[in-house]
Amino acid sequence: MAKVPSAVVAAGGLVGGYGVARWTKKRQLGGAVLAVAGAAAARQWRERAGGPAAGALTAAYVVAFAGSHPLAKKVGAWPAVFGVAGVAGVASWVVADRRG
C-alpha cells in the first residue's frame, strides 16, 4: 500500500484543521485535526529526512499556522490557509518527499 506523501499530510492538516474549526465552530476540534496531522507528518519527516530536517519542517508547520492569522487579515481566511498550506506542502516535498 502506498503511503500518503508528507506534503499532502501537512497541507491537508492546515486546510482540514481550519475547515473543521470553521464548520463545527469548535476551535479545539480544528486544533486537534491540525495537531494529529502535524504529528503524522513529523513522523514521516523523521523517517524520510532525519531528525534535524523533521525539526525544521515541524517549526515551519507551526509558523505556517501562526502566519495564516495575520495573513488572513490582508487576503481573507481561505486564501491565507491555502497559501500557507501550499508553502508547507512544497517545503515538505522538497525536504522529505522528493527523495523517495
Side-chain angles (χ1 to χ4, degrees):
M1 184 170 161
K3 276 192 167 182
V4 176
S6 64
V8 173
V9 175
L14 289 160
V15 173
Y18 175 69
V20 167
R22 180 170 178 146
W23 290 317
T24 65
K25 300 189 186 329
K26 298 193 184 307
R27 294 178 73 189
Q28 298 86 352
L29 191 55
V33 170
L34 179 82
V36 167
R43 183 171 168 251
Q44 288 181 315
W45 294 330
R46 191 173 42 256
E47 289 172 358
R48 295 179 184 171
L57 287 168
T58 300
Y61 185 77
V62 172
V63 168
F65 167 69
S68 69
H69 292 82
L71 184 59
K73 292 179 181 179
K74 296 181 187 295
V75 300
W78 279 112
V81 170
F82 285 129
V84 300
V87 169
V90 168
S92 180
W93 181 80
V94 167
V95 174
D97 292 336
R98 72 177 171 164
R99 298 175 190 218

